[in-house]
Amino acid sequence: MSQTTYHRVDTERLQQKSEATVTAAQAGDAARFGVRWLIVPLSVLLCIAQSILTIYASNVRMMTLTDTLIPTMAFGILFLLVLLGNPLLALSRVKGLVAFLIISVLLALNVTAKMGGLDRFVTFDGFWNGVLTLTVVTLSAGFVLSLLRLIGMRSFNRPELTVLFASMLVTAGISTFGLTEQLIPLIATPANPAVNTPQKGYDQKLFPNMKSELYIQDQSAVEVFRIGVTEDENGHSLRPPRDEEGWFSFIKYFGRVATLVPWKAWIGPLSYWLVFVIGCYALFYCLTYVVLGYWSQREKLIFPLARLPESLLPDEQGKYTIPGMMRGAGFWLGFAVSFLVLAWNASVSAGWVGAADWALPLGMSRFAFDAKVAGTALEGLGSDIDFGLRFFIMFTAIGIAFLLPLEISFSVWFYCLFGRLIILIAVWMGYGRNGGDFPSNWIWLNNPVTAQGGGALFLFSAISLFKCIRDYVRLSAGRNLADKVRIGLPVIGMAVSLLVVTSWLAWNRIGFGWASLIMLFITLLTVGLMRIVAEGGVYWFQSHTSFFHVYKMTGLGAWLKPALLGPIIPIYSVIFLDTKTFMAPNLLNAASLRADVGASRTKYHTSIVLSIIASVVVSLGFAILLAHVRGANAMHSWFYADGPIYMMDMARDATTDVAQFNPTTTVWWGIGAVWVAASMYLRTWLFWFPHPIGYIMLINPLMAQLWFSFFLGWIVKKVTVRYGGKATFDRVREVFIGLILGELIAIFFWAMLSLALGIKVSGITLNRY
């Protein structure tokens, strides 16, 4: 009996056909709108502004604007463009001219006042100076938009807004956790006499094996960096301008300080570091396209964080300037709930409304939970700084959980509680008094829970990456050489970038073999975190798993000398330690959004690459300049003081701590690998078996703060799906998208207000706990 043969679907050709269809459908739209390359420089300029504002806010206002994978500034700009910018660009020529003239006059008056031109007639105190700043910025945006309308530009379409948002998404973390504020203070730490004291022992234990080219050696340059520029080249004192002196005085002062910064001392180390940084960014870029096709076409991952900005894009038909999502009452109901709650709490925090206890509580802290379980059978769950249970209401997490498939959101919160149960059972068995007796950290230590997550992540990542590369091999089979190179370009690029970074690490005296092993773990960690975001929508994480954990538990110190490994730890910390704003998942989300919307590949890649380059250059330069204006001692205390010292101490300790084989931790790692393999197999025929993504997230201490919100989103969706039809689900879905965006826009709005007015608003951030 003959059997029908079925051929595999060529996903690459399907994607090309789909994008060709989208491009053809948009051709008429593009023809009407004229040349739209303007979106590229606009994206770059917004990314530069994002970098400067983020560094300024972090180090002057002590307020972090970008602290998760969700860039609130990008969402704020997209929201304003869609809600206000596009309607302005849709005006007729006559109305546009009237708007342009009115805005121009108002802007000229306000800029004159702000630059100090009216100081003889009007005195602006700090608050009204901030109001004036907000007015100037708002009118400047309106001026640019109305000018664009006059020269013939119409509303931004879906592909253009996609390119703009994607650029800001990818570059959001460069100015903070992703690069700048990890790197700049680190470069100036070894030669800082206040840190490198004889008691620290850096000179004997750490520095002999560090590459001196990576760090500033001039102590005088470090001293100026720490205290700031206080005198000019003639020894005359430099006085910072007062707030009421206007923008012109500040611009002049910053320019004067810029000429006094010892840039030569910085250019050398930064040049060496940029080889590592560019190699890592190239690796992330290539990995994005290695996994994207297989995950989106074969495995049908939903990319929830990419679909979220898509809901704010204008309709494909271009009939309305306002997106369909924003024309529904459900969206604005959800938006009002989260926005008004945070606005109330922000007003209380700023002292505008009531007393401190007037703020609306948004959950139960770890301390409150520990107090409630003290003296009970659940006391073993307490006293855990990183993983202790919290019951927080985070609107964004609730909304994302509602948008996820039920099996995914269930896995996220279920396995978090499962990990706490393991610790509780261990306490009951007498292995500790509470959760604090089972330590885990970024570099060395794993407890039974995080060890399982580490084993699970690396095996899951290895399988996922193998499947993606195998699919590229299959797609290349039977094709000519040119097609094979074209199809396999991401894999080739990944191999080249791996070679560059591996060679750079080997240059740091550890040898090519060990550098290759480190890069293998870094690559698998990157793939795992990309998968967690693409499938689970987890936007906030740190990682208690790395090559260093494996090195310690398996006793690799017998082969790799600790004195050579120690100097690698500060290098690792620059990009891979505190991964709150890790670039790789955001590159993947941006690429998924572009493919779904059908934006021009050329404009997209041009904008992304130029935005990354501009953000890196501007972020590094502005951070150095601001440190010389204020003095690094007055900058963010973690980034510019505690963090670098913490890393140097850890690196020093690593040089003398010979790792011994730890069979217990190794067994837990093995259990994690076996369980995730079993889960992947059992789910092929037991549809109810828990998805392993939450199990992998056992490495993430921030899940202790997210799990309850994921539970709330899961339970509401389960009830909605069970007792309501598709129409009910669609209506409720709009509410939860509004709930997410209400929180994001509230954070953006109050951040800008705080920056402009100088008011102190605490707790209004995605990192507020």
Side-chain angles (χ1 to χ4, degrees):
M1 182 175 172
S2 63
Q3 184 176 1
T4 305
T5 300
Y6 296 95
H7 297 284
R8 281 183 175 270
V9 176
D10 191 332
T11 55
E12 197 220 3
R13 286 177 177 164
L14 278 179
Q15 184 178 2
Q16 288 177 350
K17 182 177 180 181
S18 174
E19 292 188 358
T21 303
V22 173
T23 303
Q26 294 169 347
D29 192 42
R32 290 195 305 274
F33 294 165
V35 178
R36 304 299 295 250
W37 274 95
L38 181 66
I39 200 66
V40 174
L42 179 60
S43 299
V44 173
L45 287 174
L46 286 173
C47 290
I48 290 174
Q50 178 178 243
S51 299
I52 292 175
L53 278 177
T54 300
I55 293 173
Y56 180 84
S58 173
N59 296 289
V60 177
R61 303 297 189 191
M62 303 304 159
M63 176 177 61
T64 308
L65 297 183
T66 303
D67 42 29
T68 72
L69 294 180
I70 298 180
T72 52
M73 195 175 300
F75 273 98
I77 296 297
L78 179 61
F79 186 83
L80 292 176
L81 280 177
V82 168
L83 195 63
L84 301 175
N86 269 357
L88 180 59
L89 289 171
L91 293 174
S92 65
R93 285 293 183 89
V94 175
K95 293 180 180 178
L97 178 60
V98 173
F100 174 76
L101 293 175
I102 294 174
I103 292 174
S104 299
V105 172
L106 293 175
L107 179 61
L109 292 174
N110 282 274
V111 168
T112 302
K114 188 62 184 171
M115 296 297 285
L118 299 182
D119 56 351
R120 290 177 298 173
F121 308 101
V122 182
T123 300
F124 297 101
D125 61 18
F127 180 85
W128 288 109
N129 216 337
V131 173
L132 193 58
T133 300
L134 276 178
T135 305
V136 170
V137 172
T138 304
L139 288 172
S140 298
F143 174 81
V144 172
L145 289 172
S146 58
L147 181 62
L148 291 175
R149 178 67 196 98
L150 284 182
I151 64 176
M153 185 168 179
R154 301 286 294 183
S155 304
F156 294 105
N157 56 29
R158 289 169 60 86
E160 291 166 344
L161 290 173
T162 296
V163 170
L164 188 150
F165 179 86
S167 300
M168 297 189 70
L169 169 68
V170 169
T171 60
I174 290 175
S175 54
T176 175
F177 293 95
L179 175 65
T180 301
E181 296 205 284
Q182 306 282 16
L183 177 59
I184 294 302
L186 185 66
I187 291 177
T189 297
N192 182 2
V195 173
N196 185 17
T197 61
Q199 293 78 12
K200 287 286 187 180
Y202 294 157
D203 287 334
Q204 295 77 30
K205 300 177 181 179
L206 181 61
F207 293 162
N209 292 298
M210 293 176 67
K211 296 296 287 187
S212 60
E213 295 90 336
L214 299 179
Y215 304 93
I216 293 177
Q217 304 299 314
D218 186 349
Q219 286 193 1
S220 62
V222 173
E223 183 179 359
V224 174
F225 173 73
R226 299 306 309 180
I227 65 174
V229 175
T230 58
E231 297 179 347
D232 62 16
E233 62 273 14
N234 298 319
H236 299 147
S237 177
L238 286 177
R239 182 187 64 83
R242 296 183 296 273
D243 288 343
E244 60 270 18
E245 291 186 47
W247 279 359
F248 182 75
S249 297
F250 276 93
I251 294 172
K252 183 179 179 181
Y253 177 70
F254 269 72
R256 189 75 185 92
V257 172
T259 63
L260 300 173
V261 173
W263 293 106
K264 289 183 179 180
W266 288 89
I267 291 175
L270 284 175
S271 300
Y272 285 102
W273 276 102
L274 285 177
V275 176
F276 173 70
V277 172
I278 293 171
C280 290
Y281 286 177
L283 174 63
F284 300 159
Y285 213 107
C286 295
L287 270 176
T288 293
Y289 292 96
V290 169
V291 303
L292 178 62
Y294 191 84
W295 288 359
S296 61
Q297 299 293 330
R298 293 278 184 205
E299 299 189 342
K300 304 297 182 183
L301 303 190
I302 64 173
F303 298 91
L305 299 188
R307 303 290 80 81
L308 187 58
E310 193 174 336
S311 65
L312 288 180
L313 298 179
D315 298 339
E316 293 183 4
Q317 295 79 12
K319 183 178 180 180
Y320 301 98
T321 56
I322 304 297
M325 182 65 67
M326 299 174 70
R327 298 197 299 271
F331 171 87
W332 290 108
L333 174 63
F335 185 95
V337 169
S338 54
F339 185 91
L340 293 178
V341 167
L342 292 185
W344 173 265
N345 286 351
S347 300
V348 172
S349 177
W352 294 354
V353 177
D357 58 356
W358 282 38
L360 298 173
L362 293 176
M364 179 191 300
S365 70
R366 175 179 66 86
F367 305 103
F369 176 77
D370 289 355
K372 288 185 178 297
V373 299
T376 71
L378 299 178
E379 187 174 11
L381 295 175
S383 300
D384 191 334
I385 295 175
D386 291 322
F387 291 88
L389 284 180
R390 289 88 160 165
F391 294 78
F392 289 145
I393 298 174
M394 307 181 75
F395 299 112
T396 299
I398 293 172
I400 289 173
F402 184 85
L403 300 177
L404 292 172
L406 286 171
E407 60 178 1
I408 301 295
S409 53
F410 171 80
S411 175
V412 170
W413 68 263
F414 168 77
Y415 274 115
C416 181
L417 294 184
F418 173 76
R420 296 301 88 208
L421 178 62
I422 291 175
I423 296 299
L424 185 60
I425 292 174
V427 171
W428 289 344
M429 294 175 66
Y431 289 101
R433 296 165 300 170
N434 50 50
D437 291 331
F438 299 88
S440 181
N441 64 24
W442 288 333
I443 295 292
W444 293 124
L445 299 179
N446 275 147
N447 59 35
V449 175
T450 56
Q452 291 181 67
L457 180 136
F458 284 118
L459 180 67
F460 186 79
S461 299
I463 294 173
S464 296
L465 185 58
F466 171 76
K467 288 181 177 179
C468 295
I469 295 177
R470 183 184 61 183
D471 197 52
Y472 270 93
V473 174
R474 182 190 60 78
L475 288 172
S476 301
R479 299 176 184 263
N480 59 45
L481 181 60
D483 285 344
K484 286 183 178 181
V485 171
R486 178 181 58 80
I487 293 172
L489 197 58
V491 179
I492 297 171
M494 181 185 74
V496 172
S497 55
L498 276 172
L499 179 61
V500 170
V501 181
T502 302
S503 301
W504 191 89
L505 287 178
W507 171 69
N508 281 269
R509 298 177 177 151
I510 63 170
F512 194 84
W514 287 109
S516 300
L517 188 60
I518 292 174
M519 285 309 302
L520 172 63
F521 279 90
I522 283 177
T523 302
L524 293 179
L525 174 66
T526 301
V527 172
L529 296 181
M530 292 168 75
R531 178 70 181 226
I532 288 164
V533 176
E535 192 165 17
V538 178
Y539 60 88
W540 195 28
F541 51 67
Q542 293 174 329
S543 174
H544 281 204
T545 189
S546 68
F547 164 80
F548 302 100
H549 291 89
V550 178
Y551 169 88
K552 188 174 181 64
M553 76 177 183
T554 57
L556 289 178
W559 292 276
L560 175 60
K561 294 180 180 179
L564 298 179
L565 183 69
I568 301 299
I569 292 177
I571 294 172
Y572 180 85
S573 72
V574 170
I575 294 180
F576 299 100
L577 185 70
D578 198 350
T579 51
K580 291 190 184 78
T581 60
F582 199 36
M583 179 187 284
N586 280 347
L587 273 168
L588 181 62
N589 280 324
S592 174
L593 178 61
R594 187 216 69 81
D596 197 54
V597 173
S600 164
R601 286 185 176 184
T602 304
K603 293 176 185 176
Y604 169 82
H605 290 296
T606 301
S607 180
I608 293 293
V609 172
L610 291 179
S611 295
I612 290 174
I613 294 172
S615 296
V616 168
V617 173
V618 171
S619 294
L620 295 175
F622 185 70
I624 294 171
L625 174 60
L626 188 61
H628 284 83
V629 168
R630 294 177 56 82
N633 293 333
M635 303 276 272
H636 195 288
S637 60
W638 170 254
F639 289 122
Y640 285 83
D642 301 335
I645 295 174
Y646 171 80
M647 290 313 306
M648 287 296 174
D649 286 349
M650 188 174 293
R652 176 205 58 204
D653 295 342
T655 63
T656 57
D657 184 10
V658 179
Q660 302 293 329
F661 175 63
N662 186 329
T664 303
T665 304
T666 303
V667 168
W668 284 116
W669 269 68
I671 291 173
V674 170
W675 182 256
V676 81
S679 298
M680 295 173 70
Y681 171 73
L682 291 174
R683 281 180 52 80
T684 60
W685 55 283
L686 294 177
F687 67 91
W688 50 265
F689 201 84
H691 194 286
I693 192 167
Y695 188 64
I696 297 169
M697 273 283 88
L698 292 178
I699 66 170
N700 181 11
L702 300 178
M703 285 311 305
Q705 307 182 51
L706 290 173
W707 78 270
F708 185 66
S709 294
F710 269 82
F711 168 76
L712 293 177
W714 172 82
I715 195 67
V716 173
K717 181 171 184 178
K718 191 170 183 63
V719 171
T720 302
V721 171
R722 186 180 182 91
Y723 298 106
K726 183 180 183 302
T728 301
F729 172 77
D730 289 340
R731 287 195 295 270
V732 177
R733 176 177 174 271
E734 291 185 1
V735 175
F736 278 85
I737 292 177
L739 195 72
I740 297 172
L741 290 168
E743 180 170 52
L744 300 182
I745 301 307
I747 293 170
F748 170 75
F749 173 79
W750 284 99
M752 296 301 103
L753 204 63
S754 177
L755 280 174
L757 304 185
I759 58 175
K760 185 176 182 180
V761 177
S762 61
I764 312 303
T765 169
L766 287 178
N767 194 28
R768 60 181 176 270
Y769 301 112

mmCIF file of all heavy atoms in Angstrom, residues 273-292:
data_model
loop_
_atom_site.group_PDB
_atom_site.id
_atom_site.type_symbol
_atom_site.label_atom_id
_atom_site.label_comp_id
_atom_site.label_asym_id
_atom_site.label_seq_id
_atom_site.Cartn_x
_atom_site.Cartn_y
_atom_site.Cartn_z
ATOM 1 N N TRP A 273 37.943 48.288 24.711
ATOM 2 C CA TRP A 273 36.655 47.762 25.172
ATOM 3 C C TRP A 273 35.644 47.675 24.037
ATOM 4 O O TRP A 273 34.824 46.748 23.999
ATOM 5 C CB TRP A 273 36.091 48.656 26.280
ATOM 6 C CG TRP A 273 36.625 48.343 27.643
ATOM 7 C CD1 TRP A 273 37.586 49.013 28.331
ATOM 8 C CD2 TRP A 273 36.228 47.261 28.493
ATOM 9 N NE1 TRP A 273 37.816 48.431 29.552
ATOM 10 C CE2 TRP A 273 36.988 47.357 29.688
ATOM 11 C CE3 TRP A 273 35.298 46.241 28.372
ATOM 12 C CZ2 TRP A 273 36.844 46.445 30.738
ATOM 13 C CZ3 TRP A 273 35.156 45.334 29.429
ATOM 14 C CH2 TRP A 273 35.923 45.441 30.580
ATOM 15 N N LEU A 274 35.689 48.619 23.110
ATOM 16 C CA LEU A 274 34.695 48.639 22.037
ATOM 17 C C LEU A 274 34.830 47.441 21.101
ATOM 18 O O LEU A 274 33.859 47.052 20.452
ATOM 19 C CB LEU A 274 34.785 49.948 21.254
ATOM 20 C CG LEU A 274 34.195 51.165 21.970
ATOM 21 C CD1 LEU A 274 34.404 52.435 21.152
ATOM 22 C CD2 LEU A 274 32.696 50.970 22.236
ATOM 23 N N VAL A 275 36.010 46.848 21.021
ATOM 24 C CA VAL A 275 36.147 45.618 20.241
ATOM 25 C C VAL A 275 35.260 44.533 20.849
ATOM 26 O O VAL A 275 34.536 43.820 20.154
ATOM 27 C CB VAL A 275 37.611 45.160 20.199
ATOM 28 C CG1 VAL A 275 37.738 43.823 19.468
ATOM 29 C CG2 VAL A 275 38.482 46.215 19.533
ATOM 30 N N PHE A 276 35.328 44.412 22.167
ATOM 31 C CA PHE A 276 34.491 43.442 22.886
ATOM 32 C C PHE A 276 33.014 43.783 22.749
ATOM 33 O O PHE A 276 32.182 42.909 22.466
ATOM 34 C CB PHE A 276 34.914 43.432 24.359
ATOM 35 C CG PHE A 276 34.032 42.609 25.252
ATOM 36 C CD1 PHE A 276 34.020 41.224 25.164
ATOM 37 C CD2 PHE A 276 33.218 43.216 26.203
ATOM 38 C CE1 PHE A 276 33.217 40.454 26.005
ATOM 39 C CE2 PHE A 276 32.426 42.466 27.043
ATOM 40 C CZ PHE A 276 32.416 41.080 26.941
ATOM 41 N N VAL A 277 32.675 45.051 22.931
ATOM 42 C CA VAL A 277 31.272 45.477 22.880
ATOM 43 C C VAL A 277 30.684 45.259 21.490
ATOM 44 O O VAL A 277 29.588 44.693 21.342
ATOM 45 C CB VAL A 277 31.158 46.957 23.301
ATOM 46 C CG1 VAL A 277 29.745 47.481 23.059
ATOM 47 C CG2 VAL A 277 31.545 47.124 24.765
ATOM 48 N N ILE A 278 31.394 45.707 20.464
ATOM 49 C CA ILE A 278 30.883 45.558 19.097
ATOM 50 C C ILE A 278 30.754 44.079 18.737
ATOM 51 O O ILE A 278 29.787 43.657 18.091
ATOM 52 C CB ILE A 278 31.809 46.288 18.103
ATOM 53 C CG1 ILE A 278 31.736 47.797 18.340
ATOM 54 C CG2 ILE A 278 31.435 45.953 16.661
ATOM 55 C CD1 ILE A 278 32.771 48.590 17.562
ATOM 56 N N GLY A 279 31.715 43.268 19.165
ATOM 57 C CA GLY A 279 31.626 41.838 18.903
ATOM 58 C C GLY A 279 30.407 41.215 19.555
ATOM 59 O O GLY A 279 29.709 40.385 18.946
ATOM 60 N N CYS A 280 30.126 41.601 20.803
ATOM 61 C CA CYS A 280 28.943 41.074 21.505
ATOM 62 C C CYS A 280 27.652 41.542 20.843
ATOM 63 O O CYS A 280 26.709 40.752 20.662
ATOM 64 C CB CYS A 280 28.972 41.499 22.968
ATOM 65 S SG CYS A 280 30.237 40.697 23.961
ATOM 66 N N TYR A 281 27.585 42.819 20.473
ATOM 67 C CA TYR A 281 26.382 43.321 19.811
ATOM 68 C C TYR A 281 26.168 42.628 18.464
ATOM 69 O O TYR A 281 25.031 42.318 18.078
ATOM 70 C CB TYR A 281 26.477 44.835 19.613
ATOM 71 C CG TYR A 281 26.287 45.637 20.889
ATOM 72 C CD1 TYR A 281 26.404 47.027 20.882
ATOM 73 C CD2 TYR A 281 25.997 45.017 22.099
ATOM 74 C CE1 TYR A 281 26.231 47.778 22.038
ATOM 75 C CE2 TYR A 281 25.819 45.756 23.250
ATOM 76 C CZ TYR A 281 25.939 47.138 23.226
ATOM 77 O OH TYR A 281 25.760 47.872 24.368
ATOM 78 N N ALA A 282 27.253 42.389 17.741
ATOM 79 C CA ALA A 282 27.136 41.667 16.472
ATOM 80 C C ALA A 282 26.640 40.243 16.710
ATOM 81 O O ALA A 282 25.828 39.711 15.928
ATOM 82 C CB ALA A 282 28.487 41.646 15.749
ATOM 83 N N LEU A 283 27.117 39.612 17.769
ATOM 84 C CA LEU A 283 26.640 38.275 18.117
ATOM 85 C C LEU A 283 25.143 38.297 18.399
ATOM 86 O O LEU A 283 24.395 37.426 17.913
ATOM 87 C CB LEU A 283 27.407 37.765 19.341
ATOM 88 C CG LEU A 283 26.929 36.433 19.934
ATOM 89 C CD1 LEU A 283 27.096 35.309 18.922
ATOM 90 C CD2 LEU A 283 27.673 36.128 21.229
ATOM 91 N N PHE A 284 24.681 39.271 19.167
ATOM 92 C CA PHE A 284 23.246 39.380 19.457
ATOM 93 C C PHE A 284 22.445 39.579 18.166
ATOM 94 O O PHE A 284 21.374 38.985 17.986
ATOM 95 C CB PHE A 284 22.977 40.561 20.400
ATOM 96 C CG PHE A 284 23.668 40.467 21.729
ATOM 97 C CD1 PHE A 284 23.879 41.606 22.493
ATOM 98 C CD2 PHE A 284 24.128 39.254 22.217
ATOM 99 C CE1 PHE A 284 24.519 41.536 23.717
ATOM 100 C CE2 PHE A 284 24.772 39.170 23.444
ATOM 101 C CZ PHE A 284 24.963 40.319 24.194
ATOM 102 N N TYR A 285 22.982 40.420 17.280
ATOM 103 C CA TYR A 285 22.289 40.728 16.025
ATOM 104 C C TYR A 285 22.137 39.474 15.175
ATOM 105 O O TYR A 285 21.068 39.183 14.630
ATOM 106 C CB TYR A 285 23.075 41.804 15.262
ATOM 107 C CG TYR A 285 22.226 42.752 14.452
ATOM 108 C CD1 TYR A 285 22.028 44.058 14.871
ATOM 109 C CD2 TYR A 285 21.623 42.354 13.263
ATOM 110 C CE1 TYR A 285 21.258 44.943 14.139
ATOM 111 C CE2 TYR A 285 20.844 43.225 12.529
ATOM 112 C CZ TYR A 285 20.670 44.524 12.964
ATOM 113 O OH TYR A 285 19.887 45.384 12.239
ATOM 114 N N CYS A 286 23.223 38.722 15.066
ATOM 115 C CA CYS A 286 23.176 37.510 14.236
ATOM 116 C C CYS A 286 22.338 36.424 14.884
ATOM 117 O O CYS A 286 21.574 35.721 14.199
ATOM 118 C CB CYS A 286 24.591 37.008 13.980
ATOM 119 S SG CYS A 286 25.605 38.148 13.003
ATOM 120 N N LEU A 287 22.445 36.272 16.204
ATOM 121 C CA LEU A 287 21.625 35.281 16.895
ATOM 122 C C LEU A 287 20.142 35.547 16.691
ATOM 123 O O LEU A 287 19.334 34.614 16.611
ATOM 124 C CB LEU A 287 21.953 35.285 18.387
ATOM 125 C CG LEU A 287 23.053 34.346 18.872
ATOM 126 C CD1 LEU A 287 23.304 34.549 20.371
ATOM 127 C CD2 LEU A 287 22.683 32.900 18.604
ATOM 128 N N THR A 288 19.781 36.818 16.621
ATOM 129 C CA THR A 288 18.381 37.179 16.395
ATOM 130 C C THR A 288 17.833 36.497 15.155
ATOM 131 O O THR A 288 16.737 35.911 15.170
ATOM 132 C CB THR A 288 18.249 38.709 16.259
ATOM 133 O OG1 THR A 288 18.561 39.314 17.513
ATOM 134 C CG2 THR A 288 16.846 39.099 15.845
ATOM 135 N N TYR A 289 18.607 36.531 14.072
ATOM 136 C CA TYR A 289 18.114 35.972 12.804
ATOM 137 C C TYR A 289 18.409 34.478 12.672
ATOM 138 O O TYR A 289 17.841 33.815 11.809
ATOM 139 C CB TYR A 289 18.685 36.772 11.641
ATOM 140 C CG TYR A 289 18.112 38.166 11.640
ATOM 141 C CD1 TYR A 289 18.806 39.222 12.237
ATOM 142 C CD2 TYR A 289 16.847 38.416 11.127
ATOM 143 C CE1 TYR A 289 18.251 40.496 12.293
ATOM 144 C CE2 TYR A 289 16.288 39.675 11.177
ATOM 145 C CZ TYR A 289 16.993 40.713 11.766
ATOM 146 O OH TYR A 289 16.433 41.962 11.828
ATOM 147 N N VAL A 290 19.266 33.969 13.541
ATOM 148 C CA VAL A 290 19.443 32.517 13.588
ATOM 149 C C VAL A 290 18.196 31.850 14.164
ATOM 150 O O VAL A 290 17.748 30.812 13.689
ATOM 151 C CB VAL A 290 20.693 32.148 14.419
ATOM 152 C CG1 VAL A 290 20.744 30.644 14.701
ATOM 153 C CG2 VAL A 290 21.958 32.575 13.684
ATOM 154 N N VAL A 291 17.604 32.473 15.203
ATOM 155 C CA VAL A 291 16.481 31.836 15.898
ATOM 156 C C VAL A 291 15.115 32.348 15.443
ATOM 157 O O VAL A 291 14.110 31.644 15.616
ATOM 158 C CB VAL A 291 16.616 32.040 17.425
ATOM 159 C CG1 VAL A 291 17.936 31.491 17.925
ATOM 160 C CG2 VAL A 291 16.471 33.506 17.816
ATOM 161 N N LEU A 292 15.050 33.550 14.860
ATOM 162 C CA LEU A 292 13.758 34.169 14.596
ATOM 163 C C LEU A 292 12.873 33.331 13.681
ATOM 164 O O LEU A 292 11.701 33.081 13.982
ATOM 165 C CB LEU A 292 13.954 35.566 13.991
ATOM 166 C CG LEU A 292 12.666 36.306 13.609
ATOM 167 C CD1 LEU A 292 11.791 36.545 14.827
ATOM 168 C CD2 LEU A 292 12.993 37.625 12.911
#
